[in-house]
Amino acid sequence: MTFQFLVLNRYFSSSPAMAAAIKNVTVIGGGLMGSGIAQVAAQTGHRVTVVEVNENAIEKAKNGIQNSLQRVAKKLYKDKPADAETFVKETLSRLHTSLDLKDAVKDTDLVVEAIVENLDLKHKLFSTIDSVAPNHTIFASNTSSLSIQDIASVTKRKDRFGGLHFFNPVPVMKLLEVIRIPETSDETYEKMTAWGKALGKTTITCKDTPGFVVNRLLVPLLAEAVRMLERGDATARDIDTAMKLGASHPMGPFELADYVGNDTTKFILDGWHQKYPDVELFKPIPLLTKLVEEGKLGLKTGEGFYKYDKGTK
Ligand code: CAA
Ligand code: NAD
């Protein structure tokens, strides 16, 4: 046995990263983000179960994943339609759906929660599954803005809890923010980071701070754009054009707000406003409130700051 082998052997048997890798994943919530996370996990060889609240939501998630997978396949296998078809078929064979939350976590290595941005609902969910999921199962939230420590507080597995914050559209965006709370064990952190890499994402690490890195910078930008529109400084179209051509952003702030969902942006700002009432940037914006009250949530409802035709991507 060579010295090199001994060293490697010691590393492999003791490194947290080499502890049993994540194979079975349960994604709770099959909306915009959950379906993207499930798709990418299945594409990269994981067995995935998506949990939703009713058949309608399951159908919607399945259709969304099918459409997105076709786009990925077209890009990966441009001139090889047979390979593209195999890729889609094999990915779908690893994807399952369920309405039974407890059953869906009983044999899983990782739970990624992607339900609506509401602390009470997230608490209810995690307290339900904490006593059912196996001991080794890691719990993660994809929250955009809530504190991971607040979410984890209802569980008895804070050492196996963290944040995995993906970006929309998940199949395209290359970043994954990995959030650890003080109790997150090294093994959990290493496993979450290794899983992110297995999904083909570049990971960065951030403390459990409001909005982590990207949203702490991006959401105030969206909020300021809405305030600019409210004041009548410029039209939504001109503000979008300005940021695309003047700052090289791929989407203007109103296109992005409609893409993310105006309800999500409002949930984020309202939560931060409650926690930090003196911060001007987080104060409620009447125009955003009005749009949400009118159900103009953006692309997902067909209207937000802009109107969308059926079938718009
Ligand atoms: N699934 C799979 N592939 C997709 C896709 C999806 N949902 N969306 C885009 N693509 C791929 C496809 O290959 C597509 O080609 P086809 O149209 O031929 O299928 C290709 O990307 C190009 O897409 P588009 O022509 O629609 O447009 P685009 O070139 O402008 O790219 C975009 C679209 C990637 C969304 C780009 O506009 C962009 O990067 N926008 C900014 C997105 C962003 O900032 N996201 C972060 C939001 S914040 C967040 O997510 C955090 C939070 O907590 C709120
Ligand atoms: P969404 O409204 O598109 O999807 C949420 C889904 O969760 C819905 O389909 C709903 O039926 C389902 N759901 C609600 N309660 C459930 C429960 N108890 N069990 C199972 N399913 C349940 O929302 P989204 O945009 O996908 O956001 C989900 C989470 O991801 C939020 O925490 C949000 O802040 C975060 N996030 C959103 C974005 C974005 O761009 N929209 C980006 C990153 C993170």
Side-chain angles (χ1 to χ4, degrees):
M1 201 179 284
T2 63
F3 173 72
Q4 196 181 19
F5 178 83
L6 271 174
V7 171
L8 281 174
N9 196 31
R10 173 171 296 177
Y11 173 77
F12 283 144
S13 54
S14 63
S15 162
M18 296 315 290
I22 289 165
K23 292 198 180 82
N24 295 328
V25 180
T26 304
V27 178
I28 307 179
L32 210 54
M33 295 306 290
S35 52
I37 297 165
Q39 174 190 333
V40 175
Q43 269 174 228
T44 48
H46 301 87
R47 187 182 183 280
V48 185
T49 304
V50 180
V51 183
E52 259 295 348
V53 287
N54 56 45
E55 285 294 350
N56 210 13
I58 287 202
E59 271 317 296
K60 213 171 151 199
K62 277 186 181 168
N63 288 338
I65 291 173
Q66 287 259 18
N67 289 340
S68 177
L69 260 182
Q70 297 291 353
R71 295 171 80 178
V72 173
K74 202 177 83 191
K75 207 170 190 180
L76 286 178
Y77 304 99
K78 235 186 262 158
D79 307 316
K80 297 178 181 160
D83 289 357
E85 204 178 310
T86 306
F87 166 80
V88 172
K89 219 171 132 191
E90 286 183 0
T91 301
L92 290 176
S93 75
R94 288 188 284 270
L95 260 167
H96 309 270
T97 54
S98 174
L99 293 173
D100 186 340
L101 177 64
K102 289 184 178 174
D103 184 64
V105 300
K106 72 176 194 304
D107 184 27
T108 197
D109 302 318
L110 171 70
V111 169
V112 182
E113 170 274 310
I115 67 167
V116 281
E117 190 74 336
N118 177 303
L119 187 61
D120 290 341
L121 293 180
K122 290 186 197 281
H123 274 168
K124 196 165 160 229
L125 179 81
F126 280 115
S127 37
T128 305
I129 61 175
D130 197 26
S131 55
V132 193
N135 213 26
H136 77 278
T137 307
I138 294 174
F139 288 177
S141 174
N142 179 53
T143 180
S144 296
S145 63
L146 298 170
S147 148
I148 301 295
Q149 193 144 31
D150 284 353
I151 300 174
S153 65
V154 294
T155 72
K156 292 192 178 74
R157 61 177 83 209
K158 297 184 189 65
D159 57 322
R160 282 148 289 149
F161 208 112
L164 287 172
H165 186 222
F166 289 85
F167 293 85
N168 181 26
V170 183
V172 179
M173 304 302 282
K174 296 185 175 71
L175 182 69
L176 173 65
E177 291 178 329
V178 180
I179 317 303
R180 58 188 304 180
I181 55 176
E183 296 91 336
T184 309
S185 71
D186 287 346
E187 179 174 345
T188 300
Y189 169 73
E190 299 290 348
K191 274 189 171 180
M192 292 197 305
T193 304
W195 186 67
K197 289 186 172 45
L199 260 52
K201 302 299 179 194
T202 297
T203 59
I204 64 112
T205 306
C206 183
K207 285 187 184 165
D208 186 21
T209 52
F212 317 126
V213 175
V214 173
N215 283 346
R216 182 62 183 85
L217 297 173
L218 202 54
V219 174
L221 174 92
L222 300 188
E224 283 297 90
V226 182
R227 290 188 181 104
M228 199 177 259
L229 178 67
E230 249 182 354
R231 289 195 300 269
D233 294 352
T235 64
R237 190 54 79 193
D238 278 353
I239 296 169
D240 276 351
T241 301
M243 291 310 287
K244 285 192 287 186
L245 302 188
S248 273
H249 288 195
M251 285 176 164
F254 296 102
E255 290 168 336
L256 185 57
D258 278 356
Y259 196 67
V260 165
N262 291 318
D263 50 340
T264 297
T265 305
K266 185 171 153 46
F267 278 137
I268 296 173
L269 282 168
D270 287 351
W272 290 350
H273 175 57
Q274 254 179 25
K275 250 186 156 169
Y276 311 96
D278 297 332
V279 178
E280 279 296 321
L281 271 173
F282 303 158
K283 290 200 167 150
I285 311 169
L287 177 56
L288 188 64
T289 305
K290 183 170 175 285
L291 284 180
V292 173
E293 282 171 0
E294 290 171 354
K296 294 177 182 168
L297 308 184
L299 202 54
K300 63 184 168 187
T301 57
E303 186 172 354
F305 289 99
Y306 297 111
K307 281 192 175 156
Y308 301 89
D309 293 335
K310 269 199 176 140
T312 308
K313 286 182 258 172

